[in-house]
Amino acid sequence: MRTYIVILLCMMGAWLPTQASSAHAEDESFNVKDIIFDHIGDAYEWHVTTIGDTHVSIPLPVIVYSRETGWHTFLSSHFHHGTEAYEGFHIATEGDYKGKVVETLSTGEVARPMIDISLTKIAVGILINSLLLVGIILGVSRWYKRREASDEAPRGFVGVMEMLIMMVYDGIIKPSVGKDYERYAPYLLTAFFFIFLSNLMGLVPIFPGGANVTGNIAITLVLAVCTFLAVNLFGTREYWREVLWPDVPMWMKCPLPLMPVIEIFGLFTKPFALTVRLLANIMAGHSVILALVCIIFVTHSMGGLLGGSMTVISVLFSIFMNCLELLVAFIQAYVFTMLSAVFIGMARVEHHKG
Amino acid sequence: MSLFTPDSGLLFWMILSFGVVFVVLAKWGFPVITRMVDDRKRYIDQSLEAAREANVKLEGIKAESEALVAEARNEQRRILKEAADTRDRIVGEARQQAQAEGARLLAEARTQIQHEKEAALRDIRRQTAELAVEVAEKIMRKQLADERQQMHLVERLLDEVERN
């Protein structure tokens, strides 16, 4: 039942921003690409819906540091949806910084502020997801703190969380990391639930959800770097020996360090693959769902009959895609965690003969 | 493409919030849960072990009681058998004794009868002898009533003596 609600909400959410666009579709051409990129990209305000010509959006704080005028903190509503400038700042509509806050310097030059740590839509998404995750996990752990081992097992939500946690713990972490797995379990579990929750929240179309958190490279990059650090900071001697002086014929490593170079390159390709895999999967999922919903508006501008029939097809496909995305939300979290665990396990090899 | 260039502001917020989430959950979140689940697993294992032991013990007790019952039954059977044996033996003995007694009595009676018989025979013989003597006396007296016959007898007797 909950799944249906999520799907329904996804449908609605996919509908809302595009409905806003459909109002414009009459006078300007319906730009599917812009809609999709607006959604999967970042923004300084959290657009909820558009009714008629009124944009309903939640203004978010802009925090910038200018070389000339220092710190500035104000709500993004001062930009009036990007149409006006405030305190010398405005949102660029074209160029390299399109969609970003830029400042007009005293020389008349337009440049990015030195530091821009505005709480953008995705940043707020991160914070909401983090708070939610901390709330859920601490809530669950509180249940355990109040009980003894001899009490009966949890039911309901805590039971589901326990099942998920133990699935990751026993199914991924224990077998993949091997010895000392307890040391890495908190990080891997945090990563799994952060990704899983963010993926799910990304599928929820209205306010607290809908931000494309795990489909943004900054987020996946940070996660992958964390894994990179966990792998390489605690690597054993044997691991580093295998990287720098692998068991290959001498000519492959002696005058020209061919294999060591490849191995060191491999150290960085692993987190890169983690970054791109998660990013691309989530971004692609969001894009496809949006594209399917956009079909409705594109075909409606072509004619009633075509539009009507395509609406049915589009809705059916969107439902299918949302189900698929629920699956992907879980699978990608699982894959990221499993690969991280496997990489950590590989870096913890002990010396072995043969 | 902006999609593939990480935004510094987002990096900042992500590092900050993920770091905080990680620290909080690593300290108060996941270890509590996993430790508890492990504890529960251990507790369940122990309970199972205890239950198994109790079962084994129960099985032992059952076997013991069964053995006890069987032993008691055997004992009962043995006692009954013994009693029957004893009874049979006593009866047999009594019978034997009775037979022996009977035989002894019979033998005694027989010897007594023999004695009696012998006594009777002796008696009869004596009486017969006395009768014979008496009869002979009477015959003699009748035959020796006259003198000639007495003389004749004396002479014959004398002849017999002479001949010897």
Side-chain angles (χ1 to χ4, degrees):
Chain A
M1 192 59 210
R2 208 166 283 177
T3 321
Y4 290 124
I5 293 170
V6 169
I7 292 167
L8 210 68
L9 288 174
C10 291
M11 289 301 304
M12 278 170 61
W15 188 286
L16 289 173
T18 43
Q19 207 173 28
S21 314
S22 72
H24 300 278
E26 284 149 23
D27 45 0
E28 53 194 75
S29 68
F30 184 78
N31 196 334
V32 178
K33 187 170 161 260
D34 277 357
I35 289 169
I36 294 174
F37 277 80
D38 277 353
H39 170 77
I40 61 179
D42 207 355
Y44 286 94
E45 56 181 13
W46 198 309
H47 183 250
V48 178
T49 184
T50 302
I51 301 161
D53 279 336
T54 328
H55 293 285
V56 178
S57 53
I58 300 164
L60 301 172
V62 175
I63 306 163
V64 286
Y65 179 79
S66 160
R67 266 189 207 83
E68 291 182 340
T69 52
W71 286 102
H72 290 266
T73 309
F74 53 89
L75 280 180
S76 65
S77 52
H78 289 293
F79 289 135
H80 293 278
H81 310 298
T83 52
E84 284 175 29
Y86 184 78
E87 291 183 9
F89 297 96
H90 66 276
I91 296 174
T93 48
E94 53 200 11
D96 288 345
Y97 307 131
K98 188 181 174 214
K100 302 277 184 198
V101 165
V102 287
E103 68 172 323
T104 315
L105 298 174
S106 51
T107 54
E109 210 181 329
V110 172
R112 282 281 280 159
M114 195 164 84
I115 299 171
D116 177 7
I117 51 166
S118 307
L119 278 166
T120 57
K121 184 182 173 187
I122 292 177
V124 171
I126 296 170
L127 294 182
I128 291 171
N129 294 350
S130 301
L131 283 175
L132 205 60
L133 182 60
V134 167
I136 289 171
I137 301 298
L138 288 190
V140 170
S141 80
R142 215 162 75 101
W143 189 94
Y144 287 91
K145 273 190 188 137
R146 287 174 174 180
R147 279 164 180 79
E148 294 291 317
S150 52
D151 288 348
E152 59 182 22
R155 288 162 205 287
F157 181 71
V158 180
V160 171
M161 288 308 293
E162 180 185 310
M163 190 207 76
L164 274 175
I165 292 170
M166 294 323 284
M167 182 206 72
V168 176
Y169 192 65
D170 288 332
I172 302 175
I173 299 173
K174 261 188 208 173
S176 302
V177 177
K179 202 160 69 72
D180 268 358
Y181 64 88
E182 275 151 332
R183 203 167 145 200
Y184 300 94
Y187 164 66
L188 293 169
L189 283 165
T190 309
F192 176 85
F193 282 100
F194 186 86
I195 296 170
F196 188 39
L197 187 74
S198 296
N199 288 349
L200 287 182
M201 287 297 279
L203 290 177
V204 176
I206 47 167
F207 168 60
N212 184 22
V213 173
T214 35
N216 188 289
I217 192 161
I219 281 79
T220 57
L221 185 71
V222 170
L223 289 167
V225 167
C226 287
T227 294
F228 178 78
L229 294 177
V231 169
N232 292 295
L233 288 185
F234 305 110
T236 54
R237 271 171 62 94
E238 180 63 15
Y239 167 70
W240 286 109
R241 194 195 63 76
E242 278 180 4
V243 169
L244 300 174
W245 198 253
D247 292 321
V248 287
M250 193 51 93
W251 60 268
M252 290 184 85
K253 55 188 177 183
C254 196
L256 238 128
L258 208 62
M259 278 308 285
V261 166
I262 292 173
E263 290 278 355
I264 288 168
F265 193 66
L267 294 186
F268 295 97
T269 54
K270 282 172 192 165
F272 179 74
L274 283 179
T275 310
V276 175
R277 182 180 299 110
L278 181 57
L279 161 81
N281 269 287
I282 302 306
M283 206 162 67
H286 281 239
S287 309
V288 170
I289 292 175
L290 279 171
L292 282 169
V293 176
C294 286
I295 286 176
I296 298 170
F297 302 101
V298 172
T299 51
H300 262 294
S301 59
M302 291 175 183
L305 185 67
L306 184 66
S309 53
M310 283 309 286
T311 303
V312 175
I313 294 170
S314 160
V315 167
L316 289 177
F317 267 103
S318 297
I319 290 170
F320 170 74
M321 274 310 295
N322 272 301
C323 295
L324 197 68
E325 280 308 297
L326 279 176
L327 207 63
V328 169
F330 178 78
I331 290 170
Q332 286 308 315
Y334 190 90
V335 165
F336 188 96
T337 315
M338 194 182 68
L339 287 177
S340 297
V342 167
F343 293 154
I344 290 171
M346 278 160 66
R348 304 211 35 90
V349 282
E350 296 297 331
H351 187 69
H352 53 82
K353 300 266 180 268
Chain B
M1 254 172 89
S2 70
L3 285 177
F4 295 102
T5 44
D7 185 80
S8 58
L10 279 182
L11 281 178
F12 168 76
W13 287 112
M14 178 60 190
I15 292 168
L16 186 74
S17 42
F18 188 73
V20 170
V21 168
F22 169 62
V23 168
V24 169
L25 293 189
K27 208 163 164 62
W28 296 291
F30 293 117
V32 176
I33 299 170
T34 51
R35 201 182 313 123
M36 183 70 160
V37 173
D38 280 346
D39 282 353
R40 194 196 302 140
K41 211 175 275 170
R42 215 167 299 128
Y43 174 76
I44 291 171
D45 283 349
Q46 279 171 0
S47 303
L48 279 178
E49 189 58 35
R52 199 171 300 129
E53 268 172 25
N55 258 343
V56 167
K57 219 172 269 175
L58 201 69
E59 205 86 337
I61 288 169
K62 206 188 262 175
E64 212 169 278
S65 70
E66 264 169 18
L68 222 63
V69 167
E71 203 181 318
R73 204 160 283 154
N74 276 342
E75 189 75 357
Q76 181 198 28
R77 202 171 297 134
R78 196 180 59 76
I79 289 169
L80 279 176
K81 197 165 164 284
E82 226 164 66
D85 282 354
T86 312
R87 185 198 60 199
D88 287 353
R89 193 166 49 77
I90 289 169
V91 168
E93 265 173 19
R95 190 173 290 149
Q96 247 172 351
Q97 226 162 2
Q99 267 172 358
E101 186 69 17
R104 194 180 59 79
L105 282 176
L106 213 63
E108 231 166 60
R110 207 166 279 149
T111 44
Q112 205 151 1
I113 288 167
Q114 195 71 33
H115 284 305
E116 299 278 318
K117 206 167 92 185
E118 277 169 13
L121 277 175
R122 250 196 324 274
D123 208 20
I124 288 168
R125 205 171 284 155
R126 192 173 47 83
Q127 278 182 9
T128 315
E130 276 172 12
L131 270 176
V133 171
E134 251 173 68
V135 169
E137 207 180 61
K138 272 179 184 158
I139 292 169
M140 282 290 232
R141 224 172 256 161
K142 209 182 239 174
Q143 279 181 345
L144 296 179
D146 59 69
E147 287 287 314
R148 203 189 26 115
Q149 271 176 350
Q150 277 176 7
M151 285 316 287
H152 183 63
L153 187 62
V154 173
E155 277 171 9
R156 202 175 63 202
L157 282 175
L158 282 173
D159 281 347
E160 267 172 30
V161 173
E162 271 175 15
R163 216 177 286 149
N164 286 341

